[in-house]
Amino acid sequence: MRDIIMNEQYFKDFIAEEEARLQRFTTKLANGEIRVGRVFSVEQRIHSIKFGLWIAKYSYGTELDSLKVMFDEILEEFPHFWTKTSSYVNLVWVMSIAVMLEADKEKFSKLAALLDQFDCHDALLDFFCDYKQNGTVTLKNRCFSCPIPYEALGKVIEDEEHRISLVRTYLERKWYPGHKQFGLCDVHKAKEKLYSGYWSFECGALVKILGIDDTDLREVPYYPYDLAHYSV
């Protein structure tokens, strides 16, 4: 188990229920039971379930090599389903996980192309793309689409002397309250099984890119320590 909020049985049940949902949608689609006008929305729902399952399995403790295989499929599908009206946070997370799991340049380029396609460049997304495509670790764009909470990460990138303390502050004081606007907080309190885990994937990606010594962050909530240290 990596998650410290819910117990092992919760995640076993959550994963089983979501895998059953995934199978139902997939079977209906394969059997032609979905009206033509709804096919894309159902495919999009299937993709969303897969990503939620990926996060839940990370929280549960599934080993990283298996998660990488799962994520490769999500990464391949993601550009087909993401649009400018889709979740900005999901794009941040998918880019961040792709960085940590060391997705190759060609696969990552499909994510980068979304920024041009939908004119949604911003400081954090451009930073990840510049790193993966050019090996650049400089913050060229200073416009954050969501200043709260992500603007604080610009300081992590630019203030080399205080990086570790700035990351810790972001994790301990800014990440959770900063994500309330996206409806990602207090999900663990819901009566239904909606919680898949709280993780600051963007912090893990920055730590990996910048080579920050994160020894002291290992037990800090929301920090995906082992994911940040994954190596192919």
Side-chain angles (χ1 to χ4, degrees), residues 123-128 136-142 144 150-163 166-167 202 206-207 209-210 212:
L124 188 58
L125 300 177
D126 283 350
F127 180 80
F128 290 146
T136 305
V137 291
T138 304
L139 192 66
K140 297 177 181 177
N141 182 349
R142 284 177 168 71
F144 287 83
Y150 299 118
E151 194 170 46
L153 297 178
K155 296 178 181 176
V156 173
I157 296 167
E158 296 190 309
D159 188 350
E160 184 173 356
E161 183 179 353
H162 300 102
R163 277 175 178 165
L166 289 168
V167 172
E202 67 280 5
L206 283 183
V207 165
I209 290 169
L210 298 170
I212 300 172

Side-chain angles (χ1 to χ4, degrees), residues 28 42 148:
K28 286 184 177 182
V42 171
I148 298 175

